[in-house]
Amino acid sequence: MSRSPGRKQENHKISRELFVLTYGALVAQLCKDYEKDEDVNACLDGMGYSIGIRLIDDFLAHSAVKKCRSYSETADMIAQVAFKMYLGVTPRVSCSSATGNEFSLILDKNPLVDFVEELPAERASLCYCNLLCGVIRGALEMVHLAAEVTFLQDRLKGDAVTEIGITFLRKPEDRKHRR
């Protein structure tokens, strides 16, 4: 028997919905376990970091991407390939510094908040999707790119878009290859 082309797409959608619902349950449990939003944010970032350092191998194996030569190429790769591959969305990339080491990923639609209406008033400083920051930071570190990754804007906090800021912390090393 052969599968119909629509079947695979349906399974992908179901698994994404299951992931989003499971993620929401995880965040809810962390909110019960920790009183302070900062502790929940740190826990989500740490979990994301652990995911990122493992996910990069899968990304490199399945995406067939070539080595990025600049921070700009790296930011584009994260947005156009990685986000599309794992979350089904493609954020816009905006360079926010003259030195070319600060970028923003702007998401008009964030699939992790599909079933979230708003954050409770007592959780105003919670970064609900902080897992994403950790994933990006962990994956970048595994390819020897130290970066600071933070949420700059969040739709759950009333902003127009979700914006993730990436600041690369050191200049790429000029390496001379010996023959």
Side-chain angles (χ1 to χ4, degrees):
M1 292 175 67
S2 65
R3 291 185 185 180
S4 62
R7 178 113 181 166
K8 185 176 181 184
Q9 190 69 265
E10 181 181 323
N11 287 339
H12 176 69
K13 183 177 181 183
I14 291 170
S15 64
R16 187 171 78 191
E17 287 176 355
L18 178 62
F19 171 71
V20 170
L21 289 169
T22 304
Y23 182 73
L26 170 72
V27 175
Q29 185 61 48
L30 289 173
C31 287
K32 288 178 185 176
D33 293 346
Y34 297 101
E35 290 180 24
K36 296 180 182 176
D37 290 345
E38 295 77 22
D39 295 337
V40 175
N41 294 341
C43 190
L44 288 170
D45 182 74
M47 287 177 181
Y49 179 83
S50 295
I51 293 168
I53 62 175
R54 288 165 181 80
L55 194 63
I56 191 68
D57 288 332
D58 180 72
F59 174 75
L60 293 173
H62 291 98
S63 65
V65 296
K66 295 182 178 171
K67 183 177 180 179
C68 296
R69 302 282 179 204
S70 67
Y71 289 143
S72 176
E73 282 183 35
T74 303
D76 286 339
M77 190 65 59
I78 292 168
Q80 295 173 6
V81 181
F83 266 78
K84 183 72 172 173
M85 191 171 166
Y86 293 108
L87 293 175
V89 295
T90 305
R92 290 174 296 168
V93 178
S94 170
C95 182
S96 54
S97 74
T99 58
N101 71 325
E102 295 180 25
F103 295 87
S104 290
L105 302 176
I106 302 165
L107 293 129
D108 294 320
K109 179 169 175 29
N110 182 352
L112 288 183
V113 299
D114 281 350
F115 302 109
V116 180
E117 291 180 20
E118 62 183 32
L119 294 175
E122 65 274 6
R123 291 291 184 176
S125 60
L126 176 68
C127 287
Y128 182 84
C129 296
N130 212 37
L131 183 95
L132 293 176
C133 293
V135 169
I136 294 168
R137 188 171 55 85
L140 287 172
E141 278 192 26
M142 291 307 291
V143 292
H144 307 288
L145 291 172
E148 181 180 300
V149 185
T150 56
F151 269 91
L152 303 175
Q153 294 185 70
D154 192 346
R155 279 190 163 206
L156 291 179
K157 295 181 180 183
D159 296 318
V161 294
T162 299
E163 181 178 2
I164 300 171
I166 302 173
T167 303
F168 293 98
L169 299 177
R170 58 179 172 250
K171 292 206 171 242
E173 297 174 22
D174 293 346
R175 296 182 180 180
K176 294 182 181 177
H177 299 282
R178 294 183 184 172
R179 292 183 188 213

